[in-house]
Amino acid sequence: MNSSNKEVDLSSVLPALLSLVPQAIINRFSFDPTPLKEYQFDQFIGTVLFIDVSGFTALNEKMGQLKGGEGPERVTKHLNTYFSQLMELVTHFGGDVIKFAGDALICLFGEKDQTKEARTASALHAVGCALEIQTTRSQYSMDGIKLTLHIGVGTGHVYLMHVGGVDNYFEFLVAGQPFYQLKSAVDESGSGEVVVSKETHKVVG
C-alpha cells in the first residue's frame, strides 16, 4: 500500500493541531461539537493584549539579499523561535493567542460569564504578561537585525464571531471596544514600553 494512503492516527496528531487553535474555538466545540451552519457570536467584557514586533521590515530587506530560498527560510526560523517564546508567556499568564496579524500577536484574556472579580484578575494577568514580556523578551537579535516590541492593553466589550458560511467556510473574528483603545495605545508606546488604555487602568486600579 502506498504510504500516502495510510490512515492517520488522529490521537497522535491532535495535540499538535490543537496547539494551533485558539482556546476560544476549542471551548466552543467542546461544549457543542455540532458543525456550524450559520454565523454565531458571543460577547463579554475582556482584555486584549496587542504585541507589535518592530524591525521585521528591515529583517526582510536584509534576508531578501540572500540567494535562493535561504532568506525566507532564515526569517521563518527566527520568527518561529521568537513568537514561540512570546506565546509561551501569554499562555503562562492565562491568555489565549487569537490571531497573528502580520508581525503582531492579538491575545485575549477573559471569557464569557466571568464575575467582576474574575474580569479584574484577567486584566491584571494581561498587564502582568505585558510587563513580563517587555522585561524578559523585549529584544531579539537575528542576523544583525534587532527586533523590539510595542505593547498595548485594552479592556471592554469583546465580540467573538464565527462569520461566513459560503461553501461551509467560517472565519473566526474578534472585535470590540479594546481594539479602538489599542490603536492609540500602541501608537503612543515606544520601543520596550507597555501602554494600557484608561479603561484597563480603571479596571486594574
Side-chain angles (χ1 to χ4, degrees):
M1 177 183 289
N2 191 314
S3 59
S4 63
N5 294 327
K6 289 183 178 179
E7 292 185 3
V8 177
D9 181 8
L10 289 180
S11 64
S12 64
V13 299
L14 192 57
L17 293 175
L18 289 177
S19 69
L20 304 174
V21 180
Q23 188 62 44
I25 295 179
I26 295 174
N27 291 344
R28 185 272 176 207
F29 285 99
S30 295
F31 176 75
D32 180 8
T34 305
L36 294 173
K37 294 183 178 179
E38 59 182 6
Y39 80 91
Q40 294 182 356
F41 79 94
D42 281 319
Q43 61 176 315
F44 55 87
I45 296 176
T47 298
V48 174
L49 169 66
F50 188 87
I51 307 170
D52 182 41
V53 181
S54 298
F56 186 67
T57 300
L59 177 65
N60 270 333
E61 290 176 351
K62 182 173 182 178
M63 293 298 99
Q65 299 172 5
L66 300 178
K67 295 182 179 180
E70 183 180 356
E73 186 175 312
R74 286 167 70 172
V75 169
T76 300
K77 177 182 177 182
H78 283 302
L79 286 182
N80 281 344
T81 298
Y82 193 31
F83 275 28
S84 293
Q85 294 174 4
L86 299 179
M87 292 169 66
E88 285 176 2
L89 280 176
V90 170
T91 302
H92 174 74
F93 277 84
D96 187 9
V97 178
I98 297 294
K99 286 279 186 179
F100 289 88
D103 51 0
L105 290 178
I106 298 174
C107 312
L108 176 64
F109 289 74
E111 57 187 23
K112 190 176 179 181
D113 299 327
Q114 280 189 313
T115 64
K116 181 179 179 180
E117 291 76 15
R119 291 197 297 267
T120 299
S122 293
L124 285 168
H125 291 161
V127 173
C129 179
L131 293 173
E132 180 68 16
I133 286 175
Q134 286 291 32
T135 300
T136 63
R137 300 288 189 273
S138 62
Q139 295 185 1
Y140 184 92
S141 296
M142 54 178 73
D143 293 292
I145 301 294
K146 182 179 293 184
L147 300 182
T148 58
L149 301 175
H150 299 251
I151 300 180
V153 185
T155 301
H157 285 281
V158 175
Y159 301 88
L160 305 185
M161 300 172 285
H162 298 270
V163 299
V166 178
D167 295 327
N168 293 320
Y169 176 82
F170 288 86
E171 179 74 12
F172 180 63
L173 300 178
V174 182
Q177 295 171 341
F179 292 93
Y180 295 103
Q181 303 162 20
L182 285 169
K183 184 180 186 308
S184 59
V186 174
D187 289 345
E188 293 172 6
S189 67
S191 176
E193 293 182 345
V194 174
V195 175
V196 302
S197 70
K198 61 181 181 181
E199 290 83 0
T200 300
H201 186 271
K202 183 178 180 180
V203 171
V204 301

